[in-house]
Amino acid sequence: VQLQASGGGLVQSGGSLRLSCAAPARIFSSVGMGWYRQAPGKQRELVAVITLGGMTNVADSVQGRFTISRDNARNTVYLQMNNLELEDTAVYYCNGMKRLYIGTMRGSPFDAWGRGTLVTVSS
C-alpha cells in the first residue's frame, strides 16, 4: 500500500508546517509509522518515528523542532515542523515500519513508497 503524504509547501526560514499521512486501518493499527525525507542529491533519511503505543523519536538534525504524533481515530500520522531551516528542504514521505527500534531510530519500512510532499524552505 502506498501512503500519500500531504501538507507540504513553500515556507520562509523559521516558519512552520504540519504534514499529514492517512493509512488504511489494517496497517495503521498494526505497525509503527515513520516520516522520511529526501533532499536533492541525497539519500532518503529517517526523520521521525512513532510506535503503536505512541513512543516517539526524531533524528538529531530535527530534535526540538519536529514532533511526530498519531491520531488513531483518524488513522493518521502527523509531522509538526517548527523553526524550519533551509536544510529541511526535501520531499517528505511517510511509511509503515515493518520493524522499528525506537531507541536507536532504526527500522525497516514497507517496500512501497507513495507520493511524497515537497517542503521548500526559503531564506
Side-chain angles (χ1 to χ4, degrees), residues 93-107:
Y93 303 86
C94 67
N95 209 340
M97 304 297 290
K98 293 184 296 186
R99 288 188 176 86
L100 176 57
Y101 304 98
I102 189 71
T104 56
M105 277 281 291
R106 298 179 66 182

Side-chain angles (χ1 to χ4, degrees), residues 59-116:
D60 289 343
S61 58
V62 304
Q63 185 72 245
R65 300 187 298 118
F66 289 14
T67 303
I68 186 172
S69 62
R70 62 190 295 156
D71 184 336
N72 293 332
R74 298 177 184 272
N75 298 322
T76 299
V77 61
Y78 301 99
L79 185 67
Q80 178 67 43
M81 306 185 297
N82 298 327
N83 195 19
L84 282 160
E85 303 173 352
L86 297 177
E87 293 74 20
D88 296 320
T89 294
V91 178
Y92 285 72
Y93 303 86
C94 67
N95 209 340
M97 304 297 290
K98 293 184 296 186
R99 288 188 176 86
L100 176 57
Y101 304 98
I102 189 71
T104 56
M105 277 281 291
R106 298 179 66 182
S108 300
F110 289 123
D111 294 335
W113 290 92
R115 184 180 67 248

